Amino acid sequence: MPEPCQSSPLSDDESCDFDWDSLGFGLMPTDYMYIMKCSKDGKFERGQMSRYGNIELSPSAGVLNYGQGLFEGLKAYRKRDGGFRLFRPDQNALRMMTGAERMCMPSPSIEQFVDAVKQITIANRRWVPPLGKGSLYIRPLLIGTGPVLGLAPAPEYTFLIYASPVRNYFKEGSAPLNLYVENEFVRASRGGTGGVKTISNYAPVLKAITRAKSRGFSDVLYLDSVNKRDLEEVSSCNIFLVKGNVISTPATNGTILPGVTRKSIIEIARDRGYEVEERAINMEELFDAHEVFCTGTAVGVAPVGSITCMDRRIEYQTGADTTCQELYSTLVGIQTGTIEDKMGWTVEIS
């Protein structure tokens, strides 16, 4: 990992002395984290900023014993004028509130969530990469920190945010991904928690990812748990198929995470004249698609070069003049301010 820059007093427009061209997607601890505790009446108190570091937990904390926790992911971007911009943080707040209800947890309000994200961005402003060199990945956590022995909701909760500068999520960088259709392991099942961003959804997919990567694939594309026939999502992102002017993506029916980037790409595509379908997609449709791409906060909009399904490798169109590239360029332009935000999605931080 590259050497972190040293802490020092900074002016508002000063950035870290760092080789941003070497930046990947890995943890690079920044200066500060944000912590807010939930009081006994279920209301979150005023949060505070503290230096990034370890936190103390009871061995019987609900998150450690029963996995009672949620996380979010969003990014801050540096603008040309030196300010900063967030992309749809209210949507992350709403998704955390939905997840908290499912996991029997209290949640910060939308205002508390967005304000905390603004604070963590300002406190770690020198870690926001220059325009075009990456972004500051912001990771909010909501965890049951109170002690509990029997299976029950924790008596206390902590809302915590830390951040790290990042660039490309996959080791391929911006090169097309090579996916493998997983027909043994499933990511989520009906009536479960696949539709919320609980921490307990992610460790179970590590087995499938590790196996796929050992075979030279970028990631895994999961099928539904009942018939193992319909497409669901990739380990950490949603998936889209393109055929002509029609863009299709699996409907969020409780087993698929409703991604903020997914929602944004659907709206951008429709605004640009594409027909977008949210429906069940049989894996046989992979053989007829012209393009395939993935979306997510971490991955952005990533082209898929090939998918191996039922021992057959299917290749797709990638590169310039593709639908994926068109939508990617529009999204990034809105996020970074090079394209006017007519949707009202971005939040400015001066």
Side-chain angles (χ1 to χ4, degrees), residues 73 75 77 95 137 169 236-240 259-262 265 294-302 331 335:
K75 291 176 176 177
Y77 303 86
R95 189 168 63 181
Y137 186 84
Y169 180 79
S236 59
C237 46
N238 298 114
I239 192 160
F240 289 77
V260 177
T261 308
R262 173 189 181 276
I265 285 297
C294 298
T295 66
T297 298
V299 306
V301 182
L331 177 69
Q335 290 173 330

Side-chain angles (χ1 to χ4, degrees), residues 66-67 69-70 95 98-104 187-202 204 232-233 253-258:
Y66 299 116
L70 298 160
R95 189 168 63 181
T98 300
E101 192 279 329
R102 176 66 176 84
M103 300 295 288
C104 298
R187 178 191 169 272
S189 58
R190 294 179 185 177
T193 58
V196 298
K197 207 168 178 65
T198 173
I199 61 175
S200 54
N201 285 344
Y202 292 84
E232 295 247 307
E233 61 180 287
N253 55 9
T255 59
I256 296 172
L257 188 71

Side-chain angles (χ1 to χ4, degrees), residues 55 57 63 68-70 105 141-145 156-159:
I55 60 173
L57 282 178
V63 66
Q68 195 183 21
L70 298 160
M105 307 168 73
L141 291 164
L142 179 60
I143 54 178
T145 44
E156 298 171 7
Y157 298 88
T158 299
F159 176 64

Side-chain angles (χ1 to χ4, degrees), residues 315-349:
E315 298 190 347
Y316 302 102
Q317 299 171 12
T318 60
D321 301 321
T322 59
T323 298
C324 173
Q325 184 60 41
E326 176 188 352
L327 298 177
Y328 167 79
S329 298
T330 304
L331 177 69
V332 171
I334 294 172
Q335 290 173 330
T336 58
T338 59
I339 293 177
E340 181 184 358
D341 175 18
K342 297 179 180 179
M343 307 285 198
W345 286 344
T346 54
V347 175
E348 306 288 334
I349 304 176

